[in-house]
Amino acid sequence: MGETMIFPRGEVLHKNLSTAFTDFPALLSTLKTGDFNGIIEVEFPDNKGIIFVDSGEIINAEAKIGTDSKRIIGKEAIQTLMTLSNQKDGVINIYRMSPERVAIVAVNLQHEILFKGLSTDFTRLDRLLLKLREDKHNGFIEVRTKEHQAMGVLFLEGGEPVEMFTTPESGPSVFGRKSIPIFVENAIKQGAIFDVYKSQGKIFKKEIKEVKEVKEKKVPGRGEELKELIPILQEILSQAEKLVDGASRKKGLFNKIFKESLIEKSEEFTFLDPFAGEFEYREGTIHFTGKLEQKILRRGS
């Protein structure tokens, strides 16, 4: 089942609530009403755990129980932490996080380790990432300094880096998919130790199944519409490339500027993220593997 992850901590909502004075079920009910997304951290002298909440609903949990810190996850962990919350010597911390980030950490709670203690002295991190991409790896990489201080965690879905958080010495965790290349570069430059984990996870929320079913319903005629739109966009980009590279006499200048603009736009249109690999333009041709409506593709491009 794996070891304890380095957990991200989002924006503090409540800190150091005493279980002696906190009605835990009432607290959960309030979070549900407020459509809360984030994590609830529960700490007792010999037991601790984290509950993951998406839109007010508990989707997963991890607990470490007893002096030997036995790790349990899922429904058993949820029940254990609910029971523990009645004890008087505990502390509760609540952190707000986006639903996407809650879900990606929650789904990776159940994991197995593939590579332990790899060092940048002997392992090419960039080559390892390419291998994980080829294998369409689902999981995460924990990165530590050579002094074993946590640097951050990089999450992969289908082999692609989709999210990461860094752990500064002070303050909450800092998320940022856009800074993945810089993080990887710095880890290689400074020297680091990293562990690679494979996800085996599930999250316990019935709505997720419903959302997936809706996404998988085919929209009539959408494929044909996109087939018509892509050649038009391709021609526009090809002409722009000729103009920019011709005027500057620098081959590749357009591609450089275009990639920078993709990163800027990726916050609003995630399919444009160069790391997602869904939308690419090279040598006059658009390569698009994403699934979305024609009007969104037109606006994003």
Side-chain angles (χ1 to χ4, degrees):
M1 192 178 289
E3 301 172 12
T4 302
M5 290 173 65
I6 301 171
F7 282 114
R9 304 289 187 271
E11 172 200 347
V12 177
L13 187 62
H14 298 290
K15 192 85 171 163
N16 297 325
L17 297 177
S18 169
T19 53
F21 311 113
T22 304
D23 182 335
F24 199 63
L27 174 65
L28 289 176
S29 180
T30 303
L31 294 176
K32 185 171 184 175
T33 308
D35 219 23
F36 171 77
N37 298 292
I39 61 174
I40 304 168
E41 194 175 50
V42 186
E43 292 186 353
F44 293 87
D46 293 326
N47 308 299
K48 61 182 178 180
I50 294 187
I51 297 170
F52 292 79
V53 182
D54 179 3
S55 302
E57 301 283 348
I58 295 174
I59 58 169
N60 212 343
E62 180 197 71
K64 293 181 77 177
I65 304 301
T67 50
D68 60 346
S69 293
K70 180 193 172 189
R71 181 176 184 263
I72 54 174
I73 61 167
K75 291 177 180 175
E76 187 186 350
I78 294 166
Q79 191 55 56
T80 300
L81 293 171
M82 293 291 285
T83 305
L84 279 171
S85 68
N86 294 320
Q87 296 180 9
K88 307 298 181 191
D89 55 350
V91 171
I92 299 167
N93 300 313
I94 303 175
Y95 301 88
R96 197 189 297 279
M97 280 164 52
S98 75
E100 296 81 13
R101 286 164 179 164
V102 172
I104 199 168
V105 181
V107 84
N108 278 283
L109 279 183
Q110 189 167 349
H111 52 256
E112 62 175 338
I113 190 152
L114 291 186
F115 304 109
K116 176 87 174 166
L118 297 178
S119 168
T120 48
D121 291 344
F122 310 107
T123 307
R124 288 283 302 273
L125 183 53
D126 50 350
R127 288 187 184 174
L128 175 67
L129 287 169
L130 282 173
K131 176 72 171 72
L132 294 174
R133 176 179 281 180
E134 286 170 12
D135 294 346
K136 299 193 182 305
H137 181 78
N138 292 311
F140 58 98
I141 302 172
E142 291 188 341
V143 185
R144 294 177 172 83
T145 65
K146 290 189 174 182
E147 292 74 38
H148 298 280
Q149 295 297 310
M151 287 173 70
V153 179
L154 177 63
F155 292 99
L156 305 171
E157 279 185 4
E160 299 296 335
V162 291
E163 185 58 279
M164 65 161 288
F165 67 86
T166 53
T167 50
E169 289 178 14
S170 60
S173 309
V174 179
F175 285 90
R177 182 170 58 181
K178 287 183 183 179
S179 56
I180 290 172
I182 299 160
F183 177 77
V184 171
E185 191 180 317
N186 285 345
I188 294 168
K189 198 180 292 181
Q190 293 173 24
I193 294 165
F194 44 98
D195 303 330
V196 182
Y197 293 88
K198 183 177 182 181
S199 171
Q200 302 172 311
K202 293 174 184 175
I203 50 181
F204 310 100
K205 193 179 180 189
K206 62 182 180 183
E207 288 91 338
I208 285 172
K209 186 183 176 189
E210 290 163 11
V211 168
K212 192 176 178 189
E213 286 169 356
V214 169
K215 281 183 180 175
E216 286 173 355
K217 284 182 182 175
K218 292 184 179 177
V219 179
R222 186 179 65 181
E224 294 305 313
E225 290 172 351
L226 287 177
K227 277 181 190 174
E228 291 171 13
L229 179 62
I230 283 173
I232 298 167
L233 293 175
Q234 200 165 264
E235 181 61 26
I236 293 167
L237 290 174
S238 182
Q239 291 299 324
E241 183 176 21
K242 283 174 188 171
L243 281 170
V244 173
D245 288 2
S248 65
R249 296 181 183 175
K250 286 184 182 176
K251 186 168 172 57
L253 179 63
F254 173 81
N255 258 320
K256 181 177 180 293
I257 296 167
F258 184 60
K259 279 185 180 174
E260 286 170 0
S261 69
L262 288 181
I263 291 171
E264 282 176 25
K265 288 273 189 182
S266 66
E267 200 69 43
E268 187 180 356
F269 304 100
T270 53
F271 71 92
L272 292 179
D273 187 341
F275 288 101
E278 291 181 19
F279 183 94
E280 289 183 89
Y281 172 77
R282 60 178 182 270
E283 296 176 358
T285 308
I286 287 174
H287 302 268
F288 180 64
T289 56
K291 296 177 183 177
L292 76 172
E293 292 181 17
Q294 179 188 17
K295 61 183 179 182
I296 298 174
L297 178 60
R298 191 189 291 115
R299 276 182 61 219
S301 305

